[in-house]
Amino acid sequence: MTEQAVRWTAEQVLALAPDEASRKAGARLGGAGPWSQTGDSASGSVWGLCKGSGSTPYRTVVDLRGPAYKCSCPSRKFPCKHALGLLLLWAAEGFGEPGEAPDWAAGWLAERVAKSERPAAAAGRPVDEEAAKRRAERRAARITAGVGELEQRLEDVLRDGLAGQQQAGYAPWEETAARMVDAQAPGLAARVRELGTIPSCGPGWPARMLEEGALLHLLNRGWLGLAGLPEPLAATVRSRVGLGGTAAEGEVVRDRWLVLSQYDSVSPDGRLTTRRTWLRGLGSGRPALVLDFGPPGRPPGLALPVGLVLEAEARFRPGSAGLRADLGERAAAAAPCDRIPAGVGTGEALEAYGAALREDPWLDSWPVVLGAVIPIPGELGWQLADAEGDSALPVALPGGGSRSGLWQLAALSGGGPVTVFGECGHRGFTPLTAWHPGCPEPVALG
Amino acid sequence: MTTTGTTTGTTTTTTTGTTADAGYGEWEELVGAALLGTGRRQGNPAALLDAAAVQTVRRRAGLRPAEAGPRPDPAPRDPRPAPPEPARRRLAQLLAGRTGAGSGGGRRGAAPDLTELLPQWLAAAGRHGYRAPHALVPALLEAARARTDLRPQALALAGARGLWLARLNPDWRFALRGGAGGAGELPGPEDRTGVERLWQEGLFAERVALLGTVRAHEAAAATRLLSTTWATERAEDRLMFLDSLRVGLTAADEPFLEAALGDRSRNVRATAAELLSALPESALAGRMAERALACVGPQGVTPPAECDAGMLRDGVVARPPAGRGERAWWLGQLVEAAPLSCWRERFGGLGPAEIVALPVAEGESWREELHAAWCRAAVRQRDPHWSKALLGAASAPPATAPGTASLAERAKLLSILPEGERAEWVAEFIRAHGLSEAFQLLGVCMVPWAGTLGRAVVDALDAAREAGSYPWSFSGVMGLAERCLDPAAADHLESLTTASDGPPDTSPGAAAYWSEAFQRLVATLRLRATMLAELAPGP
């Protein structure tokens, strides 16, 4: 292993920043000025000393395989601005020939290697299976009671007519959602809250409310008839209701995973940040969604720059059309992808979404790479049109509702065809990442 | 997730439902029944939900693409190359850091200031003949929207792709208006009907831009265009149009300006007179010279006794501002508008420096008025010899300067000098008087600062440090230095960042702050050097 780890791009580094403030602070530290004794190793780590306001410089180490970070600064952000600055400097200039890590960095790096080689000991702990089973039965009974109550509520609403919903307001739904939380069915609670907001969401709300109400009803029916469902669908119903499956029983796929997109969304009450990372197996072609969560004020820990390829095992959770995965230890340092992923047309994109609904009828969208599409800006709504023919998908704004990503997409295209990754569903297509023809470096739209 | 009415269902077609489930048929029927409530029709709500669930999943699974709307015309090809990879990343970083600068509050730390670097990156990329990387064009347009000083270079770099985008997004309409980078949608100066139509119908800003373009093409055509509508223009517009003639002023403009001396508006008359006086060959300049020569000579100064009708017509303002004598006020205006070339003969062949050095017989009060007027004349007529004479020696105390002690006035005089002389003069000024008064003077020097000037600034900063001052007393000069010092100065500066603890009586902590300030300066200079090197075309 004399070969040097492939350097990342500045965009990839900045994508790791936990928030806007660290992004700026990191960018300011991305010059040679405050740094000394910088270096990198062939096994994929970089280190350096950063002069701060104090007398001792901060010791910063990054293990590119995680990536994982260690810094002697007191910051609780992760990665801290020093790690970002170090990576930016490395991305811009490199640190010359790979070398041996100094003692202060080598200790931590060795610890990480040791940890990754240690077999997962915790999994072997004996469990009291009887007790676990009793707990599961009790919970299932509570959910069943909750589902009955929810069905009653839905039927009452339909009997009285949706027309009364705008007057009735949100409060009764919030109360129903709280009942679902009591019944230990967080998935149902979230759907009920969503349902309750629809009457205030503008024109066309009755149809949307009927759609979402009917799908909730479908989920209730699925739960009540769980025993009669084939296993994958039963697993989907369980996870949609809010019973987290045990990851241990999932299917394991080893592949080279290309990071297609990574974005955060914050729950309506602002208490939880969800980070979605979309992957695609370059060998298997299989999509994977890795979710990570951060409590208030702290971003999720997992940070994978768009455009990197990492060789790893992904363990897919049962149900939900086989999208949810957890990443195992990575085998080698991540490297940028050298080609544009293959894409499909708009028709195939919708077919893929339709096919996925067979396994999970509650899916809102499906990850799709569109090849050769032309963005069409419009005052009422944007479209992505096939370069050949006259089919198009309506564009749905990303979660934050920001249009700046769309303009970036238009700028890349200049009226010509581009490759776009995004989520394709009944609301339209949400573009997340784009590639300019002939350039494998992805542009994260945001 | 939010949804909008336009993207839900309405723009996509669905497969038609085949059979009616539980007595309900089409989706619309289901929605109608749900709105009214099953209670009215003795229906079963569970059956309605069953049917709706089937229909919903069926509709979603059967989604088909919509018909594509009219596609935008493809953007014209930009033949310029994109900057090399590292330069592209640098631009992204500079644009991302744009909004962050200045938000840090108080102390700036040792990290370089990115906002100062963006204009330089844009200028350097322009010199290399690059186009902006496509993905960064929106961010570039946003930066140009926020900072007008960046517009010409940002728009030039964004090029055809930027204009293409600006046509699609109303927020970026500013890019389509000319003037900023000549990148607008103005008719070409040869397009006579186009020019004529825009001149008649255009908005004020468009008309000003149009006048500028036409004037750059053919000076006389601009005054012809102005004459067609001059009588019907509003006074404030006449003033602005007249002002735009300042660029490329020639003797050919004299007839038009002469006519404007009879304008209804006093401000228009004054501006016309000012422009005419900047033309030493003009009739007005001749009349002013005659009046000025009558007042000033080797024998002394005799200010005019009255402001006659001729003087009024030639733009002399009769009423002085509060606190100034009217005779001194008139004298100042006459001398300011007289061509400087007329004084050599009047003073028996003496040059500007000697004339300026002459004592004024009738007392010091007239001397000050006279020299101040000469300063204004030197600036207006862009005369380097007179400017130099009036500036005097840089090392002499400002109070004893021959022309004016005002730094703002001296900066104006400096801007008339050739680049090299300007830098030399300011360097000497700094060596003699330090940095505290040099800020305005440095502002008119060319970037990067010439070797001697850069050295003078660095030495003066070093001297200030040793004197125990705090670096933020010099933050203005520091900021300028980050932008203007030659990156080659970084090595010399480097030694100052680790400088000694200073004498024991210096202000506590000052040494550390200086070290930090110098570090930032070095870091910024290094970054500038790297930045410029990154822009060099690859092999």
Side-chain angles (χ1 to χ4, degrees), chain B residues 171-185:
Chain B
D171 285 351
W172 297 330
R173 284 281 152 78
F174 70 87
L176 302 177
R177 293 185 205 113
E185 283 187 314

Side-chain angles (χ1 to χ4, degrees), chain B residues 350-443:
Chain B
L350 295 182
E354 292 138 316
I355 295 175
V356 167
L358 285 176
V360 175
E362 291 288 323
E364 280 302 292
S365 58
W366 298 129
R367 177 186 181 276
E368 212 172 290
E369 288 293 342
L370 179 62
H371 284 200
W374 274 336
C375 286
R376 294 194 297 274
V379 173
R380 190 187 285 186
Q381 296 169 33
R382 308 195 63 77
D383 188 318
H385 299 297
W386 274 86
S387 295
K388 200 173 170 198
L390 290 160
L391 277 166
S395 53
T400 68
T404 165
S406 145
L407 285 169
E409 297 292 321
R410 298 185 106 192
K412 281 189 202 161
L413 287 172
L414 265 176
S415 66
I416 308 297
L417 293 191
E419 279 175 38
E421 280 184 47
R422 216 183 300 172
E424 285 293 342
W425 197 92
V426 177
E428 205 182 322
F429 181 90
I430 291 171
R431 278 196 292 269
H433 312 295
L435 286 170
S436 43
E437 300 204 296
F439 183 74
Q440 272 179 309
L441 304 179
L442 282 168

Side-chain angles (χ1 to χ4, degrees), chain A residues 7 62 78 102 105 136-137 189 266-267 290 303 359 378 435:
Chain A
R7 265 152 61 191
V62 181
F78 207 69
E137 277 168 4
V266 179
S267 63
V290 179
E359 294 182 42
W435 290 261

Side-chain angles (χ1 to χ4, degrees), chain B residues 24 92 231 248-249 260 503 506 524:
Chain B
Y24 294 105
L249 191 68
T506 46
T524 309

Side-chain angles (χ1 to χ4, degrees), chain A residues 7-26:
Chain A
R7 265 152 61 191
W8 298 356
T9 66
E11 287 81 12
Q12 287 165 345
V13 174
L14 288 173
L16 300 170
D19 52 31
E20 198 50 33
S22 346
R23 186 187 298 254
K24 283 169 194 155

Side-chain angles (χ1 to χ4, degrees), chain A residues 125-201:
Chain A
R125 196 153 23 113
V127 252
D128 184 347
E129 283 187 21
E130 265 310 300
K133 201 174 160 202
R134 274 200 308 278
R135 271 201 308 277
E137 277 168 4
R138 266 207 307 277
R139 184 169 178 192
R142 295 178 78 158
I143 294 177
T144 303
V147 161
E149 205 178 320
L150 179 54
E151 268 300 281
Q152 199 52 55
R153 169 99 172 97
L154 286 174
E155 286 183 23
D156 287 349
V157 167
L158 265 292
R159 192 173 294 113
D160 297 344
L162 295 181
Q165 277 301 307
Q166 274 184 312
Q167 279 76 46
Y170 179 68
W173 290 111
E174 181 54 49
E175 199 186 313
T176 309
R179 301 284 301 152
M180 294 306 111
V181 173
D182 291 344
Q184 293 187 308
L188 294 180
R191 283 188 169 266
V192 167
R193 284 202 188 92
E194 188 89 357
L195 188 65
T197 62
I198 294 178
S200 56
C201 278

Side-chain angles (χ1 to χ4, degrees), chain B residues 52-417:
Chain B
V54 169
Q55 283 279 1
T56 299
V57 177
R58 179 183 287 162
R59 274 156 51 88
R60 290 184 180 182
L63 282 172
R64 292 284 169 270
E67 194 175 324
R71 287 154 211 242
D73 291 329
R77 217 181 71 80
D78 194 333
R80 298 175 296 171
E85 177 67 31
R88 288 215 292 274
R89 290 190 205 143
R90 181 73 63 195
L91 177 61
Q93 217 177 322
L94 293 177
L95 287 170
R98 177 177 66 87
T99 46
S103 64
R107 216 149 67 84
R108 290 169 64 206
D113 186 347
L114 297 179
T115 10
E116 299 290 348
L117 294 174
L118 187 53
Q120 297 198 0
W121 193 98
L122 296 176
R127 283 197 298 276
H128 281 292
Y130 292 126
R131 63 165 170 79
H134 293 322
L136 294 177
V137 170
L140 202 55
L141 289 173
E142 278 303 309
R145 185 158 78 119
R147 277 180 68 177
T148 39
D149 62 314
L150 293 178
R151 276 187 196 176
Q153 285 165 336
L155 291 181
L157 207 64
R161 185 68 50 110
L163 292 178
W164 181 83
L165 274 176
R167 262 179 226 113
L168 296 170
N169 187 345
D171 285 351
W172 297 330
R173 284 281 152 78
F174 70 87
L176 302 177
R177 293 185 205 113
E185 283 187 314
L186 294 174
E190 296 92 348
D191 174 8
R192 294 194 68 145
T193 47
V195 166
E196 190 65 20
R197 195 172 59 233
L198 189 63
W199 183 250
Q200 296 291 345
E201 301 166 4
L203 300 170
F204 178 70
E206 289 170 327
R207 299 179 70 206
V208 169
L210 180 70
L211 193 65
T213 328
V214 169
R215 187 160 174 81
H217 181 68
E218 188 200 340
T223 44
R224 276 205 303 277
L225 193 63
L226 262 182
S227 313
T228 57
T229 56
W230 188 249
T232 59
E233 303 287 357
R234 299 182 314 156
E236 55 264 46
D237 291 358
R238 288 201 303 277
L239 189 63
M240 292 296 285
F241 288 137
L242 207 53
D243 208 51
S244 69
L245 295 182
R246 228 174 261 280
V247 181
L249 191 68
T250 64
D253 299 319
E254 193 183 346
F256 183 83
L257 294 172
E258 260 305 319
L261 284 178
D263 198 271
R264 297 187 297 279
S265 151
R266 198 182 67 184
N267 285 334
V268 171
R269 289 198 302 270
T271 306
E274 191 198 324
L275 288 173
L276 280 169
S277 71
L279 292 170
E281 307 298 319
S282 69
L284 177 130
R287 291 195 294 274
M288 286 307 216
E290 202 174 308
R291 294 183 187 118
L293 290 171
C295 299
V296 180
Q299 298 77 31
V301 176
T302 320
E306 58 160 352
C307 182
D308 59 31
M311 278 162 73
L312 281 176
R313 185 177 185 277
D314 282 346
V316 174
V317 179
R319 269 176 62 110
R324 292 192 63 178
E326 51 183 15
R327 293 184 69 198
W329 172 243
W330 297 331
L331 172 73
Q333 294 181 76
L334 295 184
V335 172
E336 180 183 354
L340 286 162
S341 55
C342 73
W343 300 110
R344 176 178 282 272
E345 197 187 333
R346 185 81 172 94
F347 284 92
L350 295 182
E354 292 138 316
I355 295 175
V356 167
L358 285 176
V360 175
E362 291 288 323
E364 280 302 292
S365 58
W366 298 129
R367 177 186 181 276
E368 212 172 290
E369 288 293 342
L370 179 62
H371 284 200
W374 274 336
C375 286
R376 294 194 297 274
V379 173
R380 190 187 285 186
Q381 296 169 33
R382 308 195 63 77
D383 188 318
H385 299 297
W386 274 86
S387 295
K388 200 173 170 198
L390 290 160
L391 277 166
S395 53
T400 68
T404 165
S406 145
L407 285 169
E409 297 292 321
R410 298 185 106 192
K412 281 189 202 161
L413 287 172
L414 265 176
S415 66
I416 308 297
L417 293 191

